[in-house]
Amino acid sequence: MNSWLLELQRQPEHDIDASAISLLALAQISDADQVKRLHLQCGDDVCAVGELFSVSKMPAENELQLVGDLSRFHRLGMQHRSGRMTIQGNVGNYAGTMMSGGEIWIAGDAGDFLGAPVAGFRSGMSGGRIVVGGSAGNHVGHRMRRGEIFIEAAVKDFLGSHQIAGTIVVAATIGKSAGYAMRRGTLIVNQPPVLSRTRFSDPIEAFSVIGPLLERQTKAWTSAAAPPQFACKNVIGLLNRIAEDGFVSIRGDFAVGGQGEILFPR
Amino acid sequence: MDEFFHINNVRIDATFAEAFDMKATRLIVTANDRQWATDAAAAMTGFGTSVIACGIEIAVERELAETETPDGRPGVAILAFAVSGKEMDRQIAMRAGQCVLTCPTTALYAGIEETEPKSDKRVPIGKTLRYFGDGHQISKMIGSRRYWRIPVMDGEFVCDHDVARVDGIGGGNLILIGNDVNAVTTACRAAVQSMRPIEGVITPFPGGVTRSGSKVGSKYATLFASTNNAFCPTLRTVDPSTQLMRDESVVMEVVIDGLSDQAIAHAMRMGIHAAVDSQTDGGLLRITAGNYGGKLGRHHFHLAEILK
């Protein structure tokens, strides 16, 4: 399994479909020139990876590192299933779309539909972990089925919409309509969300050790696996508050017969 | 017994304890305070002395500090041994459901470290107990570990989906022989006490000791174990198979189950040293071990070798 470092040399003029930059594909390639020749959809055109990135091999095992502001690169980490992708910068929409395993670490901000399915598909993220060091856009974890998403800063509207299962932790503010049509799964936020009283339950205070479990296991995983630039401080801080002070839970979305839960500290 | 040696004037027979393969697992019970954790563990390990009639040999391995448990609360590690995977599944599910799920504030976790890839030999915990939630149970994956959250009257009962089953060894033993009940009791308690801190072993009988050691088979067809008449003092002069000598009037046995040969050998070594060093005023005469001529199990713990 080869590891690659791709450093952005120039910003593209159009939005890029970056689904071809996948660790699964690149890990099988041993020649840098072959990586440079990979085609990316660039607006109505195609361009080669080598036209935008410098490509070099890394000594690590099964890892793909991308450096630069990739806000115009969409579908990064599509169907990612093992190994680690780290992005030193921002990413566009649909990062980690339909991933089923492995890790994606994003140092900057993520666009809309993080971990969500691309059009025409029903199932979103079904395993693995995504960590975002900055903020994220709308529809984070849309149709998520399994896995974990940790976001250090704020997210926009429709967090966890149509979520089926899995865990999303947002350490800062969230936008409107969180948990819209969620069936199961857990959203952990740092303040009481504004929700429809008909679709979600009143807040419930109850005893459970799931808070301490989440906090300890996340802390253990991040301290063992986090690349040096990713501290995950805010997420760990929020989980720590939930572990120590307990949490309040809101259940729903009753409009779809959902049993999802939105947790926030007491 | 022809060959022997002495430690502190106690005769040690140059014989061996014969142990056999079992299925084993470890569970961790935690609770809000140590009292609830030990109460749940006591209930779960009750009636778990011998597979002869209990179906499982189960006991507390050790108490765990808050820093050692998955949820940071006081805990207890429990080791369980059974003769088959099927019986292990049945016993663990029943005991977890009736003894841990029922105890306030408790949670139940897998105590066997996962291998990569994950072992496919599993003992169900939440996989079975979740149905108690009557549809309100929640599955929660944290990393690669699946937990079940079952609503109960004090909040939620949280437990692992399952736990790995590993190979274990049952039937390690020491037989302590003396001429005074109090002396042999003292020696046995010292031996068991010395084994308590050892990781990976349990002594499942009451106080770690049994006075009804058994042999395989019986004159009654329905019994597959019966009293070990060779070590019964009341039969010493009437039973030609007796292994007791003059003045030997009390016999007690410490039975040890463990996760490895090394753990059992270490426990036996510690136990022998503790027994011969205990204050028995000469009442402890001999230490030997139970075997069936090597026909029952493939694990042989020779006393002379483990004391080297």
Side-chain angles (χ1 to χ4, degrees):
Chain A
M1 292 292 197
N2 294 305
S3 297
W4 296 97
L5 170 65
L6 274 61
E7 292 175 279
L8 189 68
Q9 298 301 309
R10 67 175 181 86
Q11 278 294 337
E13 289 164 13
H14 304 281
D15 281 7
I16 303 267
D17 178 353
S19 53
I21 306 177
S22 90
L23 178 55
L24 188 65
L26 267 62
Q28 313 298 329
I29 301 173
S30 53
D31 180 17
D33 288 336
Q34 208 179 331
V35 175
K36 286 178 186 169
R37 285 197 296 271
L38 282 174
H39 283 140
L40 300 172
Q41 189 70 38
C42 181
D44 291 335
D45 227 339
V46 287
C47 63
V49 167
E51 290 173 30
L52 300 171
F53 293 93
S54 69
V55 177
S56 53
K57 225 174 200 178
M58 292 198 305
E61 177 72 9
N62 204 18
E63 186 173 336
L64 173 60
Q65 206 175 112
L66 296 146
V67 179
D69 180 6
L70 306 178
S71 306
R72 300 196 78 168
F73 289 73
H74 309 300
R75 302 184 182 189
L76 268 168
M78 180 170 166
Q79 293 182 322
H80 182 64
R81 70 171 84 140
S82 72
R84 177 198 280 177
M85 279 183 75
T86 56
I87 295 115
Q88 304 284 353
N90 304 325
V91 296
N93 302 332
Y94 292 100
T97 175
M98 301 186 292
M99 75 181 277
S100 58
E103 305 160 13
I104 298 179
W105 297 77
I106 300 161
D109 300 332
D112 296 337
F113 293 99
L114 180 71
V118 287
F121 289 87
R122 289 185 63 81
S123 288
M125 180 177 177
S126 62
R129 284 178 169 124
I130 300 177
V131 180
V132 180
S135 60
N138 298 312
H139 294 282
V140 168
H142 177 70
R143 287 193 182 276
M144 178 181 187
R145 182 171 284 278
R146 197 173 286 170
E148 289 153 330
I149 299 178
F150 302 125
I151 297 171
E152 285 281 276
V155 298
K156 291 183 183 166
D157 302 341
F158 293 101
L159 169 68
S161 56
H162 296 268
Q163 188 178 354
I164 298 157
T167 306
I168 305 175
V169 184
V170 180
T173 55
I174 60 171
K176 289 178 287 188
S177 302
Y180 178 82
M182 75 188 292
R183 303 188 76 86
R184 282 185 179 252
T186 308
L187 302 179
I188 301 178
V189 296
N190 76 352
Q191 59 201 353
V194 178
L195 298 166
S196 158
R197 296 289 300 274
T198 55
R199 302 178 76 118
F200 287 88
S201 74
D202 287 334
I204 311 154
E205 285 191 29
F207 164 80
S208 175
V209 295
I210 201 70
L213 264 181
L214 260 168
E215 188 252 350
R216 290 171 75 90
Q217 302 225 0
T218 306
K219 202 189 272 181
W221 171 71
T222 50
S223 63
Q229 305 84 349
F230 298 85
C232 239
K233 275 185 195 158
N234 300 341
V235 164
I236 297 292
L238 172 58
L239 294 176
N240 194 34
R241 275 174 65 200
I242 279 177
E244 291 193 351
D245 305 337
F247 60 79
V248 177
S249 154
I250 294 173
R251 304 292 288 269
D253 180 343
F254 300 142
V256 292
Q259 290 196 63
E261 58 178 358
I262 303 177
L263 312 181
F264 54 91
R266 265 184 196 166
Chain B
M1 189 57 56
D2 295 335
E3 293 178 37
F4 58 87
F5 53 99
H6 285 88
I7 305 176
N8 286 356
N9 289 325
V10 177
R11 174 177 149 150
I12 313 291
D13 286 343
T15 185
F16 64 92
E18 186 173 355
F20 42 87
D21 291 312
M22 293 185 90
K23 313 295 180 193
T25 194
R26 182 191 279 121
L27 298 161
I28 294 171
V29 178
T30 68
N32 251 20
D33 58 44
R34 187 155 297 285
Q35 181 74 50
W36 284 130
T38 50
D39 287 344
M44 185 164 192
T45 57
F47 190 60
T49 56
S50 167
V51 289
I52 291 172
C54 304
I56 194 167
E57 295 180 8
I58 185 167
V60 169
E61 181 188 19
R62 66 189 182 99
E63 290 196 342
L64 300 173
E66 286 86 337
T67 50
E68 297 176 285
T69 60
D71 58 21
R73 303 188 301 165
V76 176
I78 291 170
L79 281 180
F81 296 82
V83 291
S84 70
K86 199 174 169 188
E87 186 63 21
M88 174 74 85
D89 296 354
R90 205 174 74 87
Q91 288 284 338
I92 294 298
M94 281 197 307
R95 287 164 186 268
Q98 296 303 305
C99 308
V100 184
L101 169 65
T102 53
C103 182
T105 78
T106 57
L108 184 63
Y109 303 108
I112 298 286
E113 209 166 300
E114 289 299 346
T115 52
E116 189 59 51
K118 222 172 173 181
S119 162
D120 57 356
K121 293 174 184 164
R122 317 294 303 177
V123 180
I125 315 173
K127 187 180 177 183
T128 307
L129 297 184
R130 62 179 155 159
Y131 298 108
F132 184 71
D134 201 24
H136 301 288
Q137 68 271 26
I138 297 173
S139 158
K140 180 61 35 197
M141 290 285 289
I142 304 179
S144 59
R145 207 160 156 174
R146 179 192 291 277
Y147 297 94
W148 284 98
R149 301 165 56 191
I150 301 168
V152 284
M153 287 158 58
D154 72 354
E156 270 184 346
F157 172 69
V158 175
C159 65
D160 262 298
H161 180 69
D162 57 17
V163 54
R165 195 183 74 215
V166 294
D167 294 329
I169 301 154
N173 67 80
L174 292 174
I175 297 175
L176 283 71
I177 305 168
N179 59 12
D180 177 70
V181 169
N182 291 332
V184 179
T185 296
T186 301
C188 281
R189 286 181 178 158
V192 170
Q193 197 59 35
S194 72
M195 296 175 191
R196 292 250 190 266
I198 299 170
E199 206 174 308
V201 296
I202 55 166
T203 52
F205 282 98
V209 183
T210 178
R211 54 90 178 267
S212 65
S214 58
K215 67 175 184 293
V216 178
S218 163
K219 67 181 281 189
Y220 304 106
T222 52
L223 294 184
F224 55 87
S226 60
T227 192
N228 195 351
N229 43 295
F231 285 100
C232 291
T234 55
L235 304 177
R236 179 165 58 85
T237 57
V238 294
D239 189 336
S241 66
T242 189
Q243 289 189 34
L244 297 179
M245 294 179 280
R246 272 176 80 88
D247 299 332
E248 293 181 338
S249 57
V250 181
V251 182
M252 295 182 193
E253 183 175 352
V254 178
V255 175
I256 307 151
D257 296 336
L259 295 180
S260 67
D261 282 313
Q262 293 81 355
I264 291 181
H266 181 46
M268 288 175 67
R269 180 167 52 248
M270 296 294 285
I272 292 171
H273 283 302
V276 299
D277 289 343
S278 62
Q279 298 296 314
T280 61
D281 297 327
L284 177 67
L285 302 174
R286 181 155 71 106
I287 296 177
T288 187
N291 65 65
Y292 310 90
K295 292 173 193 157
L296 183 70
R298 65 188 180 97
H299 303 275
H300 300 164
F301 299 94
H302 292 267
L303 301 190
E305 281 178 23
I306 63 174
L307 287 169
K308 271 181 190 167

